[in-house]
Amino acid sequence: MPSHRTTLHPSRHQGFTLIELMVVLAIIAIVALVAAPDYQSSIESSRKTSAANNLLGALQFARSEALTRRSDVTVCASSNGSTCSGSDWSTGGVVLDGSTLLRSIPPAPKVAISGNAITIKSDGTTTASSISVDDKTVSINIVGHAKIN
């Protein structure tokens, strides 16, 4: 006797039904809506951290250049990327040796940055100063050591 295997619906193809697909899409949409607010706060935090790190790097570079060149080096806000202008650091900044541009500090859109220009003397010292980057502070002490608080 030959054995006969029978299938219920031999002509049907396996796959997803429209209802199953809609349920999966609904779940994906809910997960995306829950994750979106956390993603925005992560982006904002990254902007602040990046701006603070850029300023810290510029101050460390300025101290190194002041010692190497044996001349005063200034770190200041700049709206045009080549000269000091005001105290709006969110449009960028520059590191200058006199009028010679040594480095540009990139703009930090949507980040509140405030503080005065900082001049590092040829011996690496400066007056203690700080620049506020939203909830962070980039500070430099009188011997030229810069850090983020």
Side-chain angles (χ1 to χ4, degrees):
M1 277 184 144
S3 124
H4 289 48
R5 289 188 159 180
T6 58
T7 57
L8 295 177
H9 302 285
S11 64
R12 279 195 162 181
H13 297 287
Q14 291 188 8
F16 297 108
T17 65
L18 182 60
I19 293 174
E20 290 170 332
L21 182 63
M22 294 303 286
V23 168
V24 169
L25 288 176
I27 291 170
I28 290 172
I30 291 168
V31 170
L33 288 173
V34 169
D38 289 336
Y39 185 66
Q40 288 296 335
S41 66
S42 176
I43 289 174
E44 289 174 18
S45 177
S46 292
R47 280 189 190 130
K48 293 174 190 176
T49 301
S50 178
N53 284 334
N54 284 336
L55 284 170
L56 178 64
L59 289 170
Q60 292 169 337
F61 172 76
R63 183 171 189 271
S64 172
E65 287 297 305
L67 291 168
T68 302
R69 295 169 180 261
R70 296 180 188 221
S71 64
D72 293 358
V73 174
T74 302
V75 180
C76 57
S78 176
S79 59
N80 62 9
S82 60
T83 60
C84 292
S85 57
S87 61
D88 184 12
W89 290 85
S90 62
T91 59
V94 290
V95 179
L96 300 171
D97 178 6
S99 62
T100 305
L101 177 65
L102 301 177
R103 180 183 279 184
S104 292
I105 303 168
K110 299 181 182 177
V111 178
I113 306 171
S114 62
N116 295 323
I118 298 172
T119 299
I120 300 173
K121 297 176 187 164
S122 60
D123 61 359
T125 62
T126 186
T127 56
S129 187
S130 64
I131 300 170
S132 297
V133 182
D134 274 328
D135 57 346
K136 300 177 186 298
T137 302
V138 180
S139 60
I140 187 166
N141 62 18
I142 60 172
V143 294
H145 176 73
K147 65 180 181 176
I148 298 174
N149 298 326

